[in-house]
Amino acid sequence: MAATTKDRSILTKKVRASSLPVAAATLIPLGVLVARNAAGYAVNAADAAGLRVVGFSDADTADNAAGLAGDIQIEFTSGIAGLFENDGANPVLAAHVGDLCYVLDNQTVSSDPGDHGVVAGVVESVVAGGVYVIPLPEIAGALAAAKSYTDAEIGALD
């Protein structure tokens, strides 16, 4: 189909809201990046092995500090931009809009993948107050995996 030069209507889809059981001895505050650990439980996002960001907490604090894994659930949202702090050492810049950004901690994103390359999401915009990030767990995870190939590995595919 050829590019249009006329206005057109576009279909939209509702934001994905979901929930996960919370890991044992874990408190996840409202308004932070939420990750799934290797066991499938929700934890605070961090630059730690085995974590996958699933969204951000937008309902209430999930206080499972005294509970066992799965005693409570946390609600989170993905597919919509949330405002997070920008890393001072490796800041996300306007030039990164549309690129992946990475987790520094549960409220801070970075342009640097850190030690574990935990993807926070896609940079929507950068403002004086921080970075608007769209957590897209399925897409961001696939993009991060695709970007991890070395030149030698790519050359070996030919």
Side-chain angles (χ1 to χ4, degrees), residues 87-106:
D87 180 11
N90 297 292
V92 176
L93 306 172
H96 295 122
V97 169
D99 290 344
L100 298 178
C101 62
Y102 302 90
V103 172
L104 185 64
D105 58 42
N106 70 353

Side-chain angles (χ1 to χ4, degrees), residues 19 50 55 60 88 92 115 136 149:
S19 64
D60 291 319
V92 176
D115 294 331
L136 299 168
Y149 291 107

